[in-house]
Amino acid sequence: MALEVRSRSILRFGVFEVDVRAGELRKQGVRIKLQEQPFHVLTVLLQRPGEVVTREELRSENWSADTFVDFDNSLNTAINKLREALGDSADSPCFIETLPRRGYRFIAPVAGVDGTTRGSGASVGAAARPRGRKIVVTVAVVVLAAGIAGGLVWGTLHARKLTEKDTIVLGDFANSTGDAVFDGTLREGLSVELGQSPFLGLVSEEGIHQTLRRMERPANTRLTPEITREVCQRTSSAAALDGSIALIGTRYNLILKAVNCANGDLLASTEAQANDKSRVLDALGKVASGMRRKLGESLSTLQKYNTPLEQATTPSLEALQAYTLGGKSGDFPTAIPFFQRAVQLDPDFAMAYDQLGGAYQSIGETTMGAENTRRAFELRGRVSELEKLAIEGDYYRGVTGNLLNAKRSYALGEQIYPREPFFRGGLGLIYMALGQHESALKEHQEVLRLSPYDSVAFRFVAYTYLLLDRVEDAAATAREARAKGLDSALGPTVYLIAFYQNDAPEMARQVVAAAGKTGEEDLLLALNADTAAYFGHLRRARELSRQASNSARRAGENEASATYENVAALREGLFGNADKAREQIKVARPLPSEGDPYYGFALALAYAGNANGVQRLVEDFNKRFPEDMTVQYLPILRAKLALMHSNPQQALNDLELAAPYELGLPAIGFYNWPNLYPVYVRGEAYLAARKGSEAAAEFQKILNHRGIVLNEPIGALAHLQLGRAYAMQGDTAKSRAAYQDFLTLWKDADSDIPILVAAKAEYAKLK
């Protein structure tokens, strides 16, 4: 009798246990704080699992008739607190299902301590089913030789299939072989294999790490079956996948199981054997393909998108291990040596080349980035359809500059894999390059929706808001990322937001925070140099650019170093120091073969007045990159050549090609220094043609797009040029106001800057 009473007072579901008499809710033996009212609601639901409990029934059970409260709000509050304690979700419930305007239903199986189970335990997100429906369960038991860990491997249960809206969580492989090469590597291979599926959706690594933090566990916590299942519950996913590898004699045995994370029921299992270590990846591909089929993927997509794993990745376990470590490294500079190791071990590892190329481009090493992306493109016939489209998009965007082809690849990838954020991010970059920032924002916002724990996604959303002059939205996005602990990639963007808001202390904090950080310090120093130049502190800007260049060189970022030096030379030319510009060009790093440093060098030559040098670079660029649609480089350089030859009309004609895209971002990396130069050079051409009204419209356009020009020196010089344009029109009042705006910005500027000396003399004549 005592046992019977205890069975009724102790109820279990999932990882939870309720002691009705003691009024306690425990999770894996640990008591969870829950207020009295939510606990009473829970006990009522647990007494009738699988049944609809109406709101009126809950009222009569938990609120006496003479209690005067706002019942609807009180019940809603109780349910919300209960869901919070259980880590449940109203949109994708594991335990408590809402039936609008009716009531609630407890959908997980409930058991007493004696093991008896009550209720049907409807599956996650399932619609209401007739209570009398028969459930057919098939159980196959396979006893492994040598009694691996004394365990049993259960075959497939005839359970519900997953849907295209469900997500799954990948756990780590239990490795009993003693060979460390399988640690992490098999999980990465499984991720690649399952990632080929347009049907299955995997919870991202960022999502898993964020969930682990909420569980108060470190991001590198091993994903055991128990932890994987809890992550699965907290992310409202449908299934957790757990794998194992064991060495039986000379054969490797791989087992993969899918578990319903709400109740722990086995949804499906697959297994395969490998006769030796070299065939393990082939066996992994087989268990993954089998799991895709058993979880409900159609035969047509399984056949169409099922590149063998050894081909999609690499037949080398060691190369895959290095690739996996690169993906887990957390930042681009740290990842590069791992990806390099991967391609050394397997020179045909296409995806490792692609990741290596992307890492190099992100730190400003565009030549190395292009070389590796080009190699990935050459090997793209070896990879899955998803990776092929990703490689092609990266190649067309970052190597040939054919933005239309890149857009086509990304758009097709988005169509086939709507839950894969990479393709939307690629489209966002294309739209940013073309100046279509509203479209870019939509894509980046969708990336953030699909990857809500991705710090880089927050960075792009915040930065795109800034491009649209929506600075408050940009700042709010940055604050949201910081509140979630996802602001690691936001330093440069926060700096630029602070510049827009005239928040000098915050700018200084970001520079200090980046000190000593590889891949960050140089960029913040370069941005600070631009800010110094924006206010006419040219000597300070020179020193900061030198520091940025040295920092980049110490980090092995030679092209980033060259970019900073070339921008310093360009700055001298803009400010009228032609001799100093030519001197800086001579001491700059050797000219890279392509990319942003190439353009920076050419533009510096143009403002230094070296027409022959610019002409050679234009001819060389046009010859080597016939497909390039980086639509600003050549028109600007040709226009500057025309101006050097006193032909402003030809300059205006040359700039027509750039007009539709003049608000775009021509730079590939995160240092977007050459924005709005088509507008600035067009304004210079109109001034040279003595067309003051047209020139004023161009320079005003720069001032109207503060979020794009930001702290570039031409943002300050536009005030001066606007004053010159108004003076040309004979509008003295407007001209004086524009000159005053410039001189106010440069009130503490270095007094010997030629363009400042000229501006003061011009302003004096207006009085």
Side-chain angles (χ1 to χ4, degrees), residues 666-725:
I668 293 177
F670 288 132
Y671 182 40
N672 290 305
W673 56 272
N675 301 344
L676 296 186
Y677 269 81
V679 182
Y680 190 81
V681 174
R682 189 183 296 111
E684 290 180 318
Y686 277 127
L687 285 178
R690 307 297 298 174
K691 295 182 178 181
S693 177
E694 291 86 346
E698 296 302 315
F699 295 121
Q700 187 61 51
K701 192 184 300 179
I702 293 175
L703 300 179
N704 290 344
H705 290 90
R706 283 191 62 205
I708 298 177
V709 72
L710 291 166
N711 62 341
E712 288 185 79
I714 62 170
L717 296 181
H719 291 284
L720 169 61
Q721 301 287 30
L722 187 61
R724 290 171 171 173

Side-chain angles (χ1 to χ4, degrees), residues 101-131:
R101 296 182 297 279
R102 294 180 61 195
Y104 303 91
R105 172 168 45 205
F106 199 84
I107 59 177
V110 179
V113 294
D114 59 356
T116 58
T117 302
R118 307 174 59 190
S120 60
S123 57
V124 178
R129 297 183 176 88
R131 294 185 61 199

Side-chain angles (χ1 to χ4, degrees), residues 96 160 170 200 261 265 393 427 497 586 601 609 647 651 654 766:
I96 301 173
R160 78 176 181 92
L170 298 189
L200 296 177
C261 59
D265 287 347
L427 284 173
I497 292 171
K586 290 179 181 178
F601 187 85
N647 191 344
D654 288 331
L766 293 172

Side-chain angles (χ1 to χ4, degrees), residues 322 326 329 331-344 356 360:
S329 61
D331 61 73
F332 296 117
T334 307
I336 286 174
F338 291 109
F339 294 140
Q340 288 175 327
R341 174 65 174 161
V343 298
Q344 288 170 358
L356 184 57
Y360 273 125

Side-chain angles (χ1 to χ4, degrees), residues 47-68:
Q47 298 300 323
R48 296 167 57 183
E51 298 181 26
V52 178
V53 181
T54 67
R55 295 176 68 85
E56 284 303 317
E57 288 173 322
L58 286 170
R59 177 174 187 168
S60 64
E61 291 280 355
N62 293 279
W63 283 268
S64 61
D66 58 352
T67 300
F68 296 98

Side-chain angles (χ1 to χ4, degrees), residues 205 216 307 321 553 584 667 672 714:
E205 293 303 295
E216 298 183 350
T307 303
Q321 184 181 45
R553 200 175 306 132
Q584 173 65 26
N672 290 305
I714 62 170

